[in-house]
């Protein structure tokens, strides 16, 4: 059964993969002012305003973020977190996370 999933893309509601963080910028893709200390994130396809629980798989810590930007633009990453979100997860650079869409 696992072979059926090789090479397919999981829906955003069930993604696991690398997360990174960013701490600079003036405006987000939805037009609001970027708050580096806020609990927000960038995702390629989830609608703006979607709330997502992000869990750091190494530490077990989780945080609920709101999608307000587009990205990440680096291959292999599934979400870009604001600095505040990354701090809440205990992230340094990149971390392996899982996503759960809440609404």
């Amino acid at each position: 059964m696992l072979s059926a999933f090789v090479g397919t893309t999981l829906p955003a509601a069930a993604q696991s993969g690398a997360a990174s963080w960013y701490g600079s910028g003036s405006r987000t893709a939805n037009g609001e002012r970027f708050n580096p200390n806020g609990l927000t994130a960038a995702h390629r396809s989830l609608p703006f305003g979607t709330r997502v629980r992000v869990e750091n798989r190494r530490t077990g810590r989780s945080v609920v973020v709101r999608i307000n930007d587009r990205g990440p633009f680096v291959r292999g990453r599934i979400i870009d977190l604001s600095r505040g979100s990354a701090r809440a997860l205990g992230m340094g650079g990149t971390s392996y996370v899982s996503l759960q869409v809440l609404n």
Side-chain angles (χ1 to χ4, degrees):
M1 188 68 179
L2 178 62
S3 62
F5 293 106
V6 175
T8 62
T9 303
L10 292 172
Q15 286 183 339
S16 292
S20 52
W21 65 272
Y22 64 115
S24 63
S26 57
R27 296 272 172 202
T28 63
N30 74 350
E32 69 186 59
R33 185 179 191 98
F34 177 66
N35 176 3
N37 296 314
L39 298 179
T40 58
H43 191 273
R44 287 185 189 96
S45 60
L46 288 172
F48 295 136
T50 301
R51 292 169 33 95
V52 179
R53 180 179 310 281
V54 181
E55 179 184 350
N56 184 329
R57 300 297 296 268
R58 183 178 58 82
T59 65
R61 292 168 74 174
S62 66
V63 65
V64 175
V65 300
R66 180 177 51 88
I67 303 299
N68 71 340
D69 208 354
R70 290 290 171 231
F73 300 109
V74 176
R75 184 181 170 135
R77 297 185 187 166
I78 62 168
I79 196 165
D80 267 343
L81 302 166
S82 65
R83 182 176 57 210
S85 301
R87 188 176 300 136
L89 288 174
M91 285 177 55
T94 60
S95 292
Y96 188 77
V97 301
S98 60
L99 307 182
Q100 177 187 7
V101 173
L102 301 178
N103 69 345

